[in-house]
Amino acid sequence: MSDHDAAAGADRDERPPGLRALTRELVSIPSHDDATAAGDAIESWLRAETDDTVERDEHGNVFARTGDPEAPTVALVGHHDVVPPAESQTTVGDDGEERFVLEERDGRLYGRGSADMKGAVAAAMCAFRDADPDGVELCLASFVGEELGGVGARAAIEDGFAPEFAVVGEGSTDYSGAGVTDVVVAHKGRRASTLVAAGESTHASIPEEGVNAVYRACDAVDVVRELDFPETTVMGEPVRGSVAVTEIDGGSAWNVVPDRCEVTIDERTVPGERAPLERAESIAGVEWRVEQDLPPMACSDDDFADAVLAAARDAQSGTPEHVVKPHATDAGWLADAGTACVICGAAESGEAHTDTESVSWAVLDRCYRIYRGVADGADAFA
């Protein structure tokens, strides 16, 4: 037994009714190319298990609401799309339909999407069913397209989805220590951009007759190399970004001076800060283009972050902390729109997107207790 599973097993023994069956069902449904069937399963379960308002928007997002619609909204947020599976993670059933392979051993469920993040969605659904919120509206939201840059979350926000508070169930386990489910108060964003250097081609035997786009691109790369990484602090936690040139592509033949060269840049952004990549345009013939900008997240409400941490402490034997997550999630889009966000979920760092992806049953039970604790104790922050 790993240190993680031993620590998880030390939590009090409380198995939410139906959580394991629901998790197995959701994880078994392929949702990498099309998340419709997974959304159908979530919607059907919520309608069967609750008497609350359940909606499916035109984008495929699923919502359920209970409590006081005039009060502040506390949302339990997840997504039901997944990245493409490895060959070992799929099978074909007797009906000829593709299914994801499930395997249980050593207190864990293995399968694509178990960690990222259908297990946490199932825990949030069960917590939503069982919670008794007082003085707030409780919302369950499961989005599509998170793995494609937050497509579903962005569409929902554009349509008016604006909870005051959100717990996003992405992974936060094993950050401060083995077997501990922490509370993320900030995460980095990702800005993907391209430097396009233009030149003038000529025969390589007379390079002085042209303008070498690769040389211009290299000069621009030198500018990028000298930039400081963005950094800030959120609730006393340091958040440091990064900038890295990741690809370079130029030239058409060994004997032709290139007239075009492209350089790709991966920047991990932090709340309120960006690296001044526009400085690369100080090189003649170089243009900087932003291809994707996934926003970072910083929790905007200390009382909310502290209340979720208190719920996390009550739900486990370990001592969780406020921590920082290294990569972007839908929490960035929600925070950018004005929602106070934290992240708290079962997946351990490095578990998602792997060929051996898995989630701990004990930690899913723990996440259920955390989500219920937040919902039932919302008067501490709302």
Side-chain angles (χ1 to χ4, degrees), residues 187-207:
H187 72 53
K188 301 176 189 179
R190 176 179 184 265
R191 184 166 64 169
S193 57
T194 304
L195 300 177
V196 180
E200 183 179 343
S201 63
T202 185
H203 197 280
S205 65
I206 48 172

Side-chain angles (χ1 to χ4, degrees), residues 265-282:
I265 301 172
D266 181 290
E267 178 192 358
R268 299 299 158 145
T269 60
V270 303
E273 298 291 338
R274 295 287 192 278
L277 289 169
E278 63 277 4
R279 292 181 186 174
E281 293 186 316
S282 64

Side-chain angles (χ1 to χ4, degrees), residues 15-31 37-38 41-42 45 80 82 89 91 98-115 117-126 357-362 364-365:
R15 184 174 299 179
L19 174 56
R20 297 193 179 191
L22 176 59
T23 303
R24 292 187 194 99
E25 178 185 5
L26 295 183
V27 174
S28 72
I29 301 172
S31 55
I42 293 170
W45 188 94
H80 51 276
V82 301
Q89 292 174 315
T91 189
E98 181 186 39
R99 306 290 286 179
F100 282 177
V101 173
L102 302 182
E103 182 181 353
E104 293 184 54
R105 64 178 187 273
D106 302 325
R108 302 180 71 86
L109 176 69
Y110 289 77
R112 171 60 81 228
S114 55
M117 58 170 292
K118 290 177 179 175
V121 169
M125 291 167 66
C126 291
E357 180 178 350
S358 69
V359 69
S360 162
W361 285 125
L364 283 184
D365 294 346

Side-chain angles (χ1 to χ4, degrees), residues 8-359:
D11 293 345
R12 65 179 183 270
D13 186 14
E14 179 182 341
R15 184 174 299 179
L19 174 56
R20 297 193 179 191
L22 176 59
T23 303
R24 292 187 194 99
E25 178 185 5
L26 295 183
V27 174
S28 72
I29 301 172
S31 55
H32 52 297
D33 289 330
D34 184 349
T36 301
D40 290 343
I42 293 170
E43 180 182 7
S44 296
W45 188 94
L46 288 167
R47 292 189 186 281
E49 293 288 327
T50 78
D51 296 322
D52 303 308
T53 301
V54 180
E55 300 173 355
R56 184 86 162 272
D57 69 16
E58 62 180 346
H59 314 291
N61 301 315
V62 183
F63 303 92
R65 293 178 174 85
T66 190
D68 183 355
E70 302 300 320
T73 299
V74 179
L76 304 176
V77 176
H79 65 87
H80 51 276
D81 66 311
V82 301
V83 297
E87 185 176 347
S88 62
Q89 292 174 315
T90 65
T91 189
V92 177
D94 294 338
D95 56 2
E97 296 293 324
E98 181 186 39
R99 306 290 286 179
F100 282 177
V101 173
L102 302 182
E103 182 181 353
E104 293 184 54
R105 64 178 187 273
D106 302 325
R108 302 180 71 86
L109 176 69
Y110 289 77
R112 171 60 81 228
S114 55
D116 187 19
M117 58 170 292
K118 290 177 179 175
V121 169
M125 291 167 66
C126 291
F128 176 87
R129 175 197 63 196
D130 298 339
D132 184 21
D134 184 20
V136 297
E137 178 187 51
L138 181 64
C139 175
L140 184 286
S142 188
F143 294 131
V144 298
E146 192 275 344
E147 302 292 0
L148 301 176
V151 173
R154 293 163 66 185
I157 291 167
E158 290 175 0
D159 290 346
F161 182 68
E164 282 78 7
F165 307 96
V167 179
V168 179
E170 296 280 6
S172 68
T173 300
D174 285 2
Y175 277 69
S176 69
V180 178
T181 298
D182 296 298
V183 176
V184 175
V185 293
H187 72 53
K188 301 176 189 179
R190 176 179 184 265
R191 184 166 64 169
S193 57
T194 304
L195 300 177
V196 180
E200 183 179 343
S201 63
T202 185
H203 197 280
S205 65
I206 48 172
E208 68 276 4
E209 298 295 325
V211 178
N212 195 313
V214 169
Y215 291 170
R216 285 181 163 177
C218 288
D219 290 342
V221 168
D222 283 341
V223 173
V224 173
R225 290 179 66 181
E226 296 302 316
L227 297 178
D228 292 331
F229 291 175
E231 55 186 326
T232 190
T233 301
V234 178
M235 295 185 68
E237 296 297 322
V239 190
R240 189 169 190 260
S242 60
V243 180
V245 170
T246 53
E247 293 179 295
I248 186 164
D249 182 21
S252 58
W254 66 269
N255 59 350
V256 177
V257 170
D259 63 358
R260 182 180 177 86
C261 184
E262 294 191 2
V263 176
T264 61
I265 301 172
D266 181 290
E267 178 192 358
R268 299 299 158 145
T269 60
V270 303
E273 298 291 338
R274 295 287 192 278
L277 289 169
E278 63 277 4
R279 292 181 186 174
E281 293 186 316
S282 64
I283 304 302
V286 172
E287 178 186 5
W288 173 57
R289 300 176 181 173
V290 176
E291 313 293 347
Q292 183 188 62
D293 195 355
L294 305 180
M297 182 274 288
C299 184
S300 58
D301 191 306
D302 291 3
D303 289 342
F304 174 55
D306 288 341
V308 179
L309 185 61
R313 286 172 175 160
D314 288 344
Q316 59 190 303
S317 58
T319 304
E321 299 176 8
H322 286 152
V323 297
V324 172
K325 194 173 178 70
H327 54 78
T329 74
D330 278 341
W333 298 111
L334 292 167
D336 196 51
T339 297
C341 292
V342 296
I343 294 171
C344 187
E348 300 102 317
S349 179
E351 189 66 45
H353 300 191
T354 64
D355 294 356
T356 57
E357 180 178 350
S358 69
V359 69

